Amino acid sequence: MKNRRAFIKTASIFGIAMPLASCHSNSNTNNQKSQEGVKPIIISTWEHGLDANKVGFEILKNGGSAIDAVEKGVVVVENDPTNQTVGIGGFPDRDGNVTLDACIMKGDGGCGSVAFLQEIKNPISVARKVMEETPHIMLVGSGAKKFALEQGFKTENLLTEQTKKDYLEWLETENYSPEINIENHDTISTLALDANGKIAGACTTSGAAWKMHGRVGDSPLIGAGLFVDEEAGAAAATGLGEAVIRTAGSAMVVEAMRNGLSPYDACKEVVDRIRKKHATLKDLQVGFVALDMKGNYGAYSIHPGFNYAIGTINGHTLFDAKSMF
Ligand code: ASP
């Protein structure tokens, strides 16, 4: 099963099980710190980021915009029914509903977001429409779906046979307990800097598996799951959304870059802060990717197992992020 990872489940103060990603055998184990900048460049979370980057980089290579590259890139992952953490095929909530969260942002502050969206498989494109076609930034639930339909998006069943099977199995083993057990933590976040020096980011997820109905994580929240500012750079998160929201994670990474830190050091500073704030949550996993306006990039996570993909004119590579432990 593509992108499926085993996680250690433990209780937490959130009542949410904390994941620890297993190691990825096919990443470059070079444990990258910040790298020298090139332009254009695209960076995405996790192994599925390679698929997103390939499509996104084609756009960048042909002189296309960063905003097109990040949107069209993550759509590839949203459309993959075998990916159980994003778009169609994403794990449902504890009531069996697939609910999707996404946001998109440009360097000039333009942004759009949707949360708790059901039956529409490309929330990132709906988020872009919110940015471009409305005076608002965020639409949720039935309002977001109504808007999507008005914009020509089609409804479809997002619960695949496989995911339904996994859900029914979960119901048996977990006995529908009030604990939320996250089995997967693989939001796709993509950041890009285009040949014209414009920067953008996109973040899209089905959120925590077996979450409470109505739960929204960090991924659609501007400043938490994603933040982009052309005066400093861009950052995006993956991991336990509650911890990222509590610390305004991605905005803090961008602020750290604004204050002169490299993308790697900025990610590390915020990961250290998150870890400190949640010191009792031994298995808490959060990771960030960041990109500055020169095309320097970096990533960092609390635990090993987080990897990220880079696409440049030199090719596409998957790296293991450095981690605290
Ligand atoms: N951050 C996401 C959430 O909490 C989960 C993930 O990274 O996969 O909804």
Side-chain angles (χ1 to χ4, degrees):
M1 194 181 310
K2 199 177 171 194
N3 290 322
R4 177 98 193 218
R5 296 181 174 85
F7 289 104
I8 295 169
K9 299 175 184 177
T10 56
S12 81
I13 55 167
F14 305 115
I16 295 177
M18 294 297 124
L20 263 181
S22 61
C23 286
H24 298 266
S25 53
N26 45 353
S27 296
N28 185 319
T29 49
N30 202 10
N31 271 347
Q32 297 294 299
K33 286 193 165 192
S34 294
Q35 296 297 299
E36 266 316 291
V38 282
K39 219 170 42 180
I41 182 170
I42 188 161
I43 174 169
S44 293
T45 54
W46 302 111
E47 193 173 338
H48 52 206
L50 284 170
D51 298 334
N53 285 1
K54 281 174 191 158
V55 168
F57 193 74
E58 271 307 298
I59 293 170
L60 296 173
K61 203 176 75 182
N62 293 315
S65 67
I67 193 77
D68 283 344
V70 296
E71 182 203 352
K72 304 299 179 219
V74 301
V75 157
V76 173
V77 183
E78 288 181 339
N79 286 346
D80 178 358
T82 69
N83 184 310
Q84 295 188 297
T85 57
V86 179
I88 189 165
F91 282 124
D93 63 22
R94 60 171 64 171
D95 299 339
N97 307 291
V98 180
T99 72
L100 304 179
D101 299 335
C103 73
I104 193 160
M105 189 168 194
K106 298 188 293 180
D108 64 3
C111 53
S113 161
V114 290
F116 193 56
L117 179 63
Q118 297 181 60
E119 295 182 293
I120 307 281
K121 80 173 171 194
N122 295 124
I124 199 65
S125 300
V126 184
R128 184 166 179 180
K129 289 284 184 195
V130 174
M131 172 173 80
E132 291 175 347
E133 307 293 338
T134 82
H136 306 303
I137 289 177
M138 188 167 194
L139 295 176
V140 306
S142 57
K145 185 169 160 185
K146 180 170 180 279
F147 170 72
L149 296 176
E150 284 163 9
Q151 292 293 320
F153 291 84
K154 301 276 176 265
T155 55
E156 58 192 290
N157 177 18
L158 303 183
L159 192 67
T160 57
E161 280 310 308
Q162 181 60 52
T163 307
K164 189 173 170 187
K165 197 164 155 265
D166 293 333
Y167 169 63
L168 293 175
E169 263 172 37
W170 174 80
L171 278 185
E172 270 174 38
T173 54
E174 297 301 323
N175 199 23
Y176 213 54
S177 89
E179 291 268 307
I180 304 169
N181 292 298
I182 299 175
E183 285 197 329
N184 230 310
H185 240 223
D186 300 353
T187 291
I188 182 154
S189 295
T190 297
L191 310 173
L193 182 66
D194 66 30
N196 295 319
K198 298 283 183 201
I199 194 164
C203 182
T204 177
T205 190
S206 52
W210 330 134
K211 60 197 173 187
M212 285 177 70
H213 188 57
R215 182 266 191 187
V216 169
D218 59 317
S219 305
L221 300 181
I222 298 295
L226 173 72
F227 196 66
V228 184
D229 184 339
E230 63 200 6
E231 290 179 7
T238 183
L240 185 73
E242 282 73 6
V244 177
I245 295 170
R246 180 172 288 113
T247 51
S250 294
M252 289 303 149
V253 174
V254 172
E255 281 313 292
M257 289 194 288
R258 193 194 309 277
N259 290 332
L261 293 194
S262 69
Y264 169 82
D265 286 333
C267 292
K268 185 173 182 312
E269 175 165 302
V270 177
V271 164
D272 288 349
R273 194 182 305 170
I274 290 175
R275 170 69 188 174
K276 200 168 152 204
K277 221 177 187 54
H278 301 86
T280 55
L281 303 184
K282 298 294 178 216
D283 296 328
L284 171 68
Q285 176 66 313
V286 169
F288 290 99
V289 290
L291 178 65
D292 72 13
M293 297 308 295
K294 292 182 182 143
N296 301 302
Y297 62 87
Y300 196 76
S301 61
I302 299 177
H303 290 285
F306 171 44
N307 53 16
Y308 63 101
I310 295 292
T312 67
I313 201 69
N314 301 319
H316 293 275
T317 316
L318 188 66
F319 292 113
D320 286 328
K322 274 182 88 71
S323 60
M324 246 175 136
F325 297 108

